[in-house]
């Protein structure tokens, strides 16, 4: 709720209440574990407690309306008469989680009782007590019959009961109801001893179970360990195997003979290579000498027989394909025969193939766009020589007709093949 | 300064012997941990011990082209420039093949052609296997 400036919320609340509205409930913050304000504003003093008790008594007087109060509200009476000094402690105590404590187990109780019985000298009382115990246990059994308790105690009890019942019954039948002659129960049939032994047997059984469990666990852990180790070994082996596959096996001692043979092959190959190279060089030299000393006709014949390898057909580049030279570093026939550069197929690819922009056919573009670097600042306006030619073909000296053709024929270097220069007459006159 | 050549060293091919190895690889070797830890202050004898521990040869490996210890030792030899006899001993020894290779490589880098013909040709007869990285 928005607090209007200058007006406190208390005032607002008061106003609301006066107007009949239910004022805004102020929710105080909740702190877990902390007693709310209304609970312990007062000090926890004994006197004040007394005072409170007195006040309570006044409100609910115990003596005058006594019966009514007493019977119906013993709780109130209890509260009023409570002399607990420190309520806080009690409250705190109340919050403490209590664990279930076993004060006494059934068996212990019965045992105790029976021992008590045994110590008693009065036989009658003994018998009576016995009977009482049996009845009680019978009742209890009936109650607990529903529970899925598999306690041996119960069985034992039942057995005991049956036995004792049987005994007592037989006794009763013969002797009558009142007096039951005490019969000597041999040690093996005594309930208590039997029970004790049974208990001990149980304990031993439990211990054995625990021991077995421990052993089993040990065995299990050992197994797990073994598995883990095996796994690790496998991993290691796999790694090593892979490494060995990748690695070159450098064991020299293995297969000496094979290695020697392999080396022999390699060495022979090397020697052969060297010899071939030398011979090839010699042969070339001889050939060059021979051709140089040939006459013209023989040379022509020879050339016909051993034609020069035709230069690789030049690839036709597309219209306005960007000029690319692969560079002078990678040459056709480098000297270094052992070089690894230039041997990869990437160096032998076709460098005149169109890439990127060149793949598009630029002839379909409008004339304006048929320019190198279109749209960029390095754009050139001029295209190619023939395009930019501004010769005026109408002039008589540029006009291509028969006169022009004759003149061109006389110009130097236009007609005659270069291989056989003939020389001009003027120069001949010079000699003479 | 750890990366200076021995001042008494001769120049090879007209330049600092360390320049035989190209600049990029050289910088990588100087930054390599093997170089910094193991190859500091090595002399010829201690270099032999290190060379005996080698088990592979090679230049660089991996995506970032790390230099191998072999390469670092080559660099060290270029830096200290051991005598020719020592290097010939490297080559002559028979048991440790990687020491031999180290010596041979050094001769190939720094030696004259006569040296190479004399010392390296016989190595053709050694057909033991080598692990290359």
């Amino acid at each position: 709720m928005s607090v209007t400036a200058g007006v406190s919320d208390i005032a607002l609340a008061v106003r609301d209440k006066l107007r009949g509205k239910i004022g805004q409930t102020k929710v105080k913050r909740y702190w877990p574990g902390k007693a709310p304000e209304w609970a312990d504003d007062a000090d926890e003093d004994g006197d004040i407690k007394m005072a409170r008790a007195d006040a309570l008594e006044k409100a609910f007087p115990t003596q005058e309306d006594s019966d009514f109060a007493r019977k119906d509200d013993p709780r109130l009476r209890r509260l009023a008469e409570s002399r607990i000094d420190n309520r806080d402690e009690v409250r705190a105590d109340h919050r403490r989680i209590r664990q279930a404590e076993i004060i006494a187990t059934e068996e212990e109780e019965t045992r105790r009782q029976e021992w008590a019985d045994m110590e008693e000298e009065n036989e009658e009382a003994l018998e009576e007590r016995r009977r009482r115990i049996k009845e009680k246990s019978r009742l209890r059994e009936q109650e607990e019959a529903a529970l899925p308790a598999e306690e041996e105690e119960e069985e034992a009890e039942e057995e005991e009961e049956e036995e004792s019942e049987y005994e007592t019954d037989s006794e009763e039948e013969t002797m009558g109801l009142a007096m039951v002659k005490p019969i000597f129960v041999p040690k093996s049939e005594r309930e208590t001893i039997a029970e004790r032994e049974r208990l001990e047997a149980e304990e031993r059984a439990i211990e054995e179970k625990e021991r077995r469990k421990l052993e089993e666990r040990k065995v299990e852990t050992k197994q797990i360990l073994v598995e883990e180790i095996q796994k690790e070994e496998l991993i290691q082996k796999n790694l090593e195997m892979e490494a060995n596959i990748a690695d070159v096996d450098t064991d020299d001692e293995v297969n000496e003979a094979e290695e020697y043979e392999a080396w022999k092959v390699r060495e022979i190959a090397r020697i052969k290579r060297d010899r071939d190279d030398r011979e090839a060089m010699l042969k070339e030299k001889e050939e060059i000498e021979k051709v140089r000393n040939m006459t013209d006709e023989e040379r022509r014949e020879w050339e016909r027989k051993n034609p020069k390898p035709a230069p690789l057909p030049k690839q036709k580049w597309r219209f306005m394909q960007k000029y690319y030279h692969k560079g002078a570093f990678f040459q056709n026939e480098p000297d270094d025969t052992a070089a690894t550069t230039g041997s990869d197929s990437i160096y032998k690819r076709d460098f005149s193939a169109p890439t990127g922009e060149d793949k598009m056919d630029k002839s379909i573009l409008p004339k304006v766009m048929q320019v190198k670097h279109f749209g960029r600042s390095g754009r050139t306006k001029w295209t190619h020589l023939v395009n930019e030619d501004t010769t005026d073909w109408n002039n008589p000296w540029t006009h291509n007709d028969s006169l022009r053709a004759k003149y061109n024929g006389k110009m130097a270097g236009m007609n005659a093949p270069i291989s056989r220069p003939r020389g001009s007459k003027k120069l001949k006159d010079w000699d003479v | 300064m750890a990366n200076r050549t021995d001042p008494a060293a001769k120049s090879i091919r007209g330049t600092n012997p360390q320049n035989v190895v190209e600049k990029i690889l050289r910088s990588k070797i100087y930054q390599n941990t093997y170089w910094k830890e193991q190859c500091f202050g090595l002399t010829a004898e201690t270099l032999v011990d290190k060379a005996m521990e080698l088990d592979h040869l090679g230049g660089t490996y991996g995506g970032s082209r790390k230099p191998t210890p072999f390469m670092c030792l080559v660099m060290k030899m270029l830096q200290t420039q051991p005598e020719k006899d020592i290097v010939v001993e490297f080559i002559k020894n028979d048991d440790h093949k990687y020491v031999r290779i180290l010596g041979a490589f050094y001769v190939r880098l720094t030696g004259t052609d006569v040296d190479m013909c004399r010392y390296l040709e016989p190595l053709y007869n050694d057909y033991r296997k080598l692990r290359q990285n």
Side-chain angles (χ1 to χ4, degrees):
Chain A
M1 187 170 151
S2 58
V3 177
T4 50
V7 185
S8 72
D9 10 23
I10 302 169
L12 282 169
V14 165
R15 184 181 63 179
D16 282 341
K17 275 197 198 139
L18 288 171
R19 287 200 189 153
K21 301 183 205 162
I22 305 165
Q24 265 239 314
T25 40
K26 294 240 147 250
V27 184
K28 294 283 174 188
R29 181 162 171 188
Y30 170 69
W31 293 97
K34 182 178 166 202
E37 288 175 331
W38 48 261
D40 64 348
D41 270 339
D43 307 354
E44 300 306 315
D45 224 278
D47 295 335
I48 299 190
K49 269 272 160 47
M50 302 284 279
R52 213 192 267 174
D54 287 348
L56 264 170
E57 275 208 45
K58 268 190 213 151
F60 305 89
T62 54
Q63 261 101 39
E64 282 73 35
D65 306 348
S66 59
D67 299 323
F68 180 71
R70 255 187 224 149
K71 280 182 210 162
D72 286 4
D73 269 332
R75 294 175 284 171
L76 276 173
R77 201 181 355 120
R78 237 190 296 131
L79 184 66
E81 288 168 4
S82 75
R83 292 279 178 266
I84 303 169
D85 277 359
N86 207 338
R87 283 266 158 94
D88 264 357
E89 269 189 32
V90 171
R91 240 179 261 135
D93 203 29
H94 171 66
R95 288 206 184 88
R96 210 189 336 138
I97 299 167
R98 284 178 210 284
Q99 248 190 351
E101 285 179 33
I102 302 171
I103 299 171
T105 52
E106 263 180 19
E107 60 195 76
E108 287 181 38
E109 274 186 19
T110 47
R111 216 192 303 166
R112 230 180 289 141
Q113 275 194 340
E114 277 156 8
W115 274 115
D117 299 344
M118 299 290 283
E119 280 166 23
E120 269 205 18
E121 288 171 305
N122 200 344
E123 292 163 350
E124 283 181 327
L126 208 105
E127 283 299 323
E128 278 185 50
R129 214 167 265 189
R130 278 216 189 118
R131 234 180 287 132
R132 244 180 278 146
I133 291 166
K134 278 168 222 154
E135 281 178 41
K136 272 191 214 159
S137 51
R138 225 181 293 145
L139 284 167
R140 238 184 293 135
E141 267 185 10
Q142 283 170 17
E143 285 175 14
E144 287 171 3
L147 300 171
E150 285 177 310
E151 291 165 26
E152 284 180 29
E153 303 153 28
E154 268 187 75
E155 292 173 3
E157 276 176 49
E158 279 184 83
E159 284 171 52
E160 286 168 42
E161 260 181 70
E162 283 168 5
E163 279 176 23
S164 47
E165 265 181 71
Y166 173 78
E167 279 170 26
T168 45
D169 283 344
S170 60
E171 283 173 332
E172 278 175 10
E173 278 171 28
T174 52
M175 303 280 297
L177 280 164
M179 295 288 281
V180 184
K181 181 177 166 201
I183 299 180
F184 173 72
V185 181
K187 210 173 195 178
S188 56
E189 289 174 31
R190 274 186 223 165
E191 299 166 6
T192 49
I193 292 183
E195 214 187 316
R196 208 192 328 149
E197 282 177 6
R198 237 172 262 125
L199 287 168
E200 283 174 9
E202 272 175 46
E203 284 178 22
R204 256 178 271 135
I206 292 170
E207 279 175 28
E208 274 190 44
K209 268 191 212 165
E210 282 181 23
R211 238 182 289 141
R212 246 180 280 143
K213 266 190 211 166
L214 275 172
E215 285 180 20
E216 276 177 30
R217 248 194 236 161
K218 270 192 213 165
V219 170
E220 270 183 40
T221 45
K222 269 192 205 162
Q223 277 186 0
I224 291 170
L225 249 182
V226 166
E227 279 180 24
E228 286 281 336
I229 291 171
Q230 280 182 358
K231 262 190 235 167
E232 280 178 21
E233 277 182 12
L234 254 181
I235 291 169
Q236 274 287 323
K237 244 190 268 171
N238 281 343
L239 275 174
E240 279 173 24
M241 264 179 37
E242 288 177 8
N244 279 342
I245 289 166
D247 265 356
V248 177
D249 187 13
T250 56
D251 279 337
D252 284 327
E253 288 73 43
V254 184
N255 292 334
E256 278 271 1
E258 277 186 28
E259 285 178 24
Y260 182 65
E261 293 302 313
W263 172 81
K264 249 209 230 170
V265 173
R266 287 199 301 268
E267 187 69 13
I268 289 172
R270 276 193 285 256
I271 296 172
K272 189 159 173 279
R273 181 190 64 191
D274 288 340
R275 209 171 348 117
D276 287 346
D277 285 342
R278 215 174 302 143
E279 282 180 14
M281 263 185 30
L282 281 172
K283 251 174 72 176
E284 264 197 62
K285 269 200 208 134
E286 283 176 26
E287 229 185 89
I288 290 169
E289 286 296 320
K290 207 172 70 174
V291 172
R292 241 174 243 169
N293 297 337
M294 266 196 234
T295 55
D296 281 341
E297 292 94 14
E298 286 175 13
R299 204 176 282 176
R300 248 176 263 143
E301 272 194 47
W302 186 86
E303 261 180 29
R304 220 184 304 132
K305 280 192 212 148
N306 317 39
K308 277 202 187 119
L312 287 164
K314 203 168 160 191
Q315 299 280 339
K316 179 153 164 62
W317 289 24
R318 297 221 185 149
F319 179 60
M320 286 186 59
Q321 182 166 334
K322 196 166 166 77
Y323 176 68
Y324 178 75
H325 188 266
K326 77 170 184 241
F329 187 77
F330 300 107
Q331 299 162 15
N332 249 342
E333 294 207 2
D335 301 336
D336 195 356
T337 48
T340 48
T341 60
S343 58
D344 201 43
S345 56
I346 197 162
Y347 298 115
K348 298 194 177 64
R349 64 190 161 164
D350 179 20
F351 287 101
S352 59
T355 51
E357 282 278 318
D358 301 331
K359 287 188 189 157
M360 183 192 81
D361 183 18
K362 293 223 176 77
S363 52
I364 56 175
L365 288 172
K367 196 107 191 341
V368 188
M369 291 178 74
Q370 283 176 5
V371 155
K372 295 202 227 293
H373 298 139
F374 177 73
R376 302 172 82 190
S377 72
R379 168 207 196 295
T380 44
K381 186 171 171 193
W382 315 115
T383 47
H384 50 284
L385 183 63
V386 174
N387 215 4
E388 307 305 332
D389 191 6
T390 52
T391 36
D392 180 13
W393 293 105
N394 289 328
N395 275 328
W397 53 85
T398 47
H399 191 60
N400 270 342
D401 62 359
S402 55
L403 267 175
R404 194 77 203 152
K406 256 203 273 180
Y407 180 68
N408 281 345
K410 289 218 176 118
M411 271 169 62
M414 287 295 240
N415 229 357
I418 295 178
S419 55
R420 269 288 159 196
R422 262 181 308 161
S424 63
K425 287 178 189 145
K426 287 183 186 165
L427 282 180
K428 270 192 184 164
D429 294 340
W430 178 261
D431 282 336
V432 172
Chain B
M1 271 262 299
N3 292 331
R4 270 174 73 73
T5 338
D6 183 11
K10 296 185 305 171
S11 71
I12 308 180
R13 315 218 187 282
T15 170
N16 188 350
Q18 291 200 72
N19 289 355
V20 172
V21 176
E22 55 161 3
K23 176 80 166 108
I24 299 169
L25 181 53
R26 222 185 316 143
S27 333
K28 286 204 178 122
I29 291 179
Y30 291 154
Q31 289 159 13
N32 191 12
T33 16
Y34 185 80
W35 173 264
K36 287 182 184 164
E37 288 171 359
Q38 319 285 351
C39 299
F40 184 76
L42 279 189
T43 62
E45 303 95 52
T46 43
L47 196 141
V48 174
D49 303 330
K50 286 266 179 284
M52 291 204 286
E53 289 164 18
L54 279 177
D55 74 332
H56 61 275
L57 57 96
T60 53
Y61 64 94
S64 58
R65 305 273 90 198
K66 271 187 73 168
T68 54
F70 179 82
M71 215 57 220
C72 297
L73 287 179
V74 168
M75 193 66 180
K76 200 68 194 174
M77 287 181 79
L78 285 169
Q79 204 179 41
T80 56
Q81 227 179 52
E83 313 261 307
K84 194 149 154 219
D85 324 335
I86 301 176
V87 181
V88 171
E89 274 307 314
F90 272 32
I91 298 177
K92 276 203 206 150
N93 108 94
D94 213 16
D95 334 318
H96 307 277
K97 20 187 206 185
Y98 294 101
V99 179
R100 203 179 231 191
I101 291 282
L102 191 63
F105 195 64
Y106 182 76
V107 167
R108 179 71 180 88
L109 288 176
T110 61
T112 61
D113 38 7
V114 178
D115 292 337
M116 282 187 239
C117 190
R118 196 183 303 157
Y119 299 119
L120 298 188
E121 283 277 340
L123 291 181
Y124 270 133
N125 300 334
D126 187 353
Y127 53 83
R128 288 181 289 187
K129 292 195 252 201
L130 289 170
R131 181 178 292 138
Q132 180 175 353
N133 214 345

